[in-house]
Amino acid sequence: MNQGPIPAADAINRLIQELSKLPGIGPKSAQRITYYLLRAPHEQTGLLSDTIREVKQKITLCSTCYNVTDVDPCPLCRSEQRDHSTVCVVEQPQDILAIEHTGIYHGLYHVLHGAISPTEGVGSGDVRIRELTDRLQDGTIQEVILATNTNLEGEQTALYLNHVISPTGVRVTRLAHGLPFGTELEYADDTTLTRAIEGRQKL
Amino acid sequence: MNQGPIPAADAINRLIQELSKLPGIGPKSAQRITYYLLRAPHEQTGLLSDTIREVKQKITLCSTCYNVTDVDPCPLCRSEQRDHSTVCVVEQPQDILAIEHTGIYHGLYHVLHGAISPTEGVGSGDVRIRELTDRLQDGTIQEVILATNTNLEGEQTALYLNHVISPTGVRVTRLAHGLPFGTELEYADDTTLTRAIEGRQKL
């Protein structure tokens, strides 16, 4: 086996290397995508390059719910069609897409940007829990639905949130355990997720 | 199920859409990569964006072997360490990476950019066969190794090339069939590919 550098042009090797850093993309996939891009029309590759740049320039976090957005507050938080008395708490922005895709939920969201994980040194102050309890101050929110992942970190986070929020009198519910333990919310199918929303239980 | 647009910011949806066009990337993977990029440092995403642009600006085809390159002739064609009497014919530039990775081959290459496929309307004039026979004119090349894929199109192309080149007196060989039928060369493992190079047979 040749231990030297692969004899491709530098720019090609650099692109393979950068693509390999993306989640789910191994060296072989990165190579395949690179050679695909070499054959693709300039319009397509230019658009891809620009959109990567644009997404970083335009996207910020909503100062209310901390979802990714290009306007602040985000369209969900400013919508009069949404039920502002219910907040669904998720770990990551992409979890919102999964829940919205079911079409069954019409409240607002709160993105923690992580979960409490003592083993990884992530405490309650490292995720946006204080920002959530601040939102409960004015009495508008009457129910908090905990939609953290059904793994150890997600469960710990849900228990902690229940511990903190329940004393304020706000109703705290948790997605029903139709989801098998260890599932990441982002990849749940619509039916499972719909049942979990419908069957949510008061903690 | 919600049939409306997913309530993510436009730039996010556009990036998901552009990433979904890449080979091996479905909508879920595209979404995962997009949200990964949103969290990634600006340096990383800037580098990815720039490298995609750069690869299209800098990379052309070598006017001798038609491999992708940022200098013409390409480093392989201009190398004095390579055996200029042997040419290995491949369908795509990425096939060169696979063969170079075995470390067993030290000759030059010729990239056809496709294979003859009557069913898809690709004739001998649609791939760079004329450019190959032109290279044989000056008598330097004494062996042509056919390393097209081991599927129908690749076999047809190999038979056609043997038909055209054999009468010129140049030795024509074909990679040994250690490769199972239907394999794409790009994904062969090193050992299989090494044996196929070692066991090549005169057609």
Side-chain angles (χ1 to χ4, degrees):
Chain A
M1 194 171 114
N2 188 352
Q3 295 302 317
I6 294 172
D10 274 357
I12 293 177
N13 283 331
R14 277 201 304 279
L15 183 52
I16 292 172
Q17 196 181 354
E18 288 307 310
L19 289 169
S20 299
K21 293 177 184 169
L22 303 179
I25 310 280
K28 277 280 179 190
S29 304
Q31 184 181 305
R32 179 166 215 179
I33 293 169
T34 297
Y35 281 92
Y36 167 87
L37 291 173
L38 281 169
R39 288 194 304 269
H42 271 82
E43 295 70 32
Q44 184 185 345
T45 55
L47 194 57
L48 177 60
S49 170
D50 291 346
T51 315
I52 291 169
R53 190 164 290 281
E54 188 190 352
V55 92
K56 295 295 281 189
Q57 283 166 346
K58 289 198 179 164
I59 302 298
T60 56
L61 297 181
C62 172
S63 60
T64 302
C65 74
Y66 297 93
N67 187 16
V68 285
T69 180
D70 51 7
V71 284
D72 186 20
C74 76
L76 287 164
C77 284
R78 66 167 71 191
S79 169
E80 293 183 2
Q81 264 77 54
R82 309 290 302 199
D83 168 14
H84 285 241
S85 71
T86 311
V87 168
C88 179
V89 180
V90 294
E91 294 183 17
Q92 300 296 346
Q94 57 267 45
D95 298 332
I96 294 178
L97 298 192
I99 292 177
E100 283 299 295
H101 199 251
T102 69
I104 204 181
Y105 180 70
H106 304 290
L108 303 183
Y109 290 94
H110 190 86
V111 184
L112 295 175
H113 290 275
I116 296 171
S117 172
T119 54
E120 293 184 21
V122 181
S124 58
D126 300 314
V127 295
R128 298 190 183 271
I129 289 176
R130 163 58 67 93
E131 291 85 344
L132 173 61
T133 54
D134 285 350
R135 290 178 70 181
L136 305 178
Q137 296 304 318
D138 73 0
T140 309
I141 295 164
Q142 286 161 36
E143 178 176 357
V144 171
I145 303 174
L146 303 177
T148 51
N149 288 330
T150 63
N151 54 21
L152 190 60
E153 291 77 16
E155 294 295 339
Q156 283 176 333
T157 307
L159 287 173
Y160 179 81
L161 286 172
N162 184 46
H163 173 74
V164 172
I165 300 169
S166 282
T168 67
V170 172
R171 177 176 150 95
V172 181
T173 56
R174 173 88 173 109
L175 292 194
H177 273 240
L179 307 163
F181 190 84
T183 303
E184 288 185 30
L185 206 86
E186 180 181 357
Y187 294 101
D189 65 272
D190 286 349
T191 311
T192 308
L193 203 49
T194 297
R195 283 184 189 145
I197 293 173
E198 283 170 340
R200 66 184 187 269
Q201 303 289 328
K202 190 173 184 314
L203 280 182
Chain B
M1 194 171 113
N2 188 352
Q3 295 302 318
I6 294 173
D10 273 356
I12 294 177
N13 283 331
R14 277 202 304 278
L15 183 53
I16 292 172
Q17 195 181 354
E18 287 307 310
L19 288 169
S20 298
K21 294 177 184 170
L22 303 178
I25 310 280
K28 276 279 179 188
S29 303
Q31 185 181 306
R32 180 167 214 177
I33 293 170
T34 297
Y35 281 93
Y36 167 87
L37 291 172
L38 282 168
R39 286 193 305 269
H42 271 81
E43 295 71 30
Q44 184 185 345
T45 55
L47 194 56
L48 176 61
S49 170
D50 291 346
T51 315
I52 291 168
R53 191 165 290 280
E54 187 190 352
V55 92
K56 295 295 281 188
Q57 284 166 345
K58 288 197 180 167
I59 302 298
T60 55
L61 297 181
C62 172
S63 60
T64 303
C65 75
Y66 297 92
N67 187 17
V68 285
T69 181
D70 50 8
V71 285
D72 188 19
C74 76
L76 287 165
C77 284
R78 66 167 71 193
S79 169
E80 294 183 1
Q81 264 77 55
R82 310 291 301 200
D83 168 13
H84 285 241
S85 71
T86 310
V87 168
C88 180
V89 180
V90 295
E91 294 183 18
Q92 299 297 346
Q94 56 266 47
D95 299 331
I96 294 179
L97 297 191
I99 293 177
E100 283 299 294
H101 199 252
T102 68
I104 204 183
Y105 179 71
H106 304 291
L108 303 182
Y109 290 94
H110 189 86
V111 184
L112 296 175
H113 289 275
I116 296 171
S117 171
T119 54
E120 292 184 22
V122 182
S124 57
D126 299 315
V127 295
R128 298 190 183 268
I129 290 176
R130 163 59 66 91
E131 291 85 345
L132 173 62
T133 54
D134 285 350
R135 288 178 72 182
L136 304 178
Q137 297 301 320
D138 72 0
T140 310
I141 294 164
Q142 286 160 39
E143 179 176 355
V144 171
I145 303 174
L146 302 177
T148 50
N149 288 330
T150 63
N151 53 22
L152 190 61
E153 291 77 17
E155 294 295 340
Q156 283 176 333
T157 306
L159 287 174
Y160 179 81
L161 287 171
N162 184 46
H163 173 73
V164 171
I165 300 169
S166 282
T168 68
V170 172
R171 180 176 147 94
V172 181
T173 57
R174 174 88 173 107
L175 292 194
H177 273 241
L179 308 162
F181 191 85
T183 304
E184 289 185 27
L185 206 87
E186 181 182 356
Y187 295 99
D189 66 272
D190 287 351
T191 311
T192 307
L193 202 49
T194 298
R195 284 186 189 142
I197 293 174
E198 284 171 338
R200 66 185 187 267
Q201 303 289 328
K202 190 173 185 313
L203 280 181

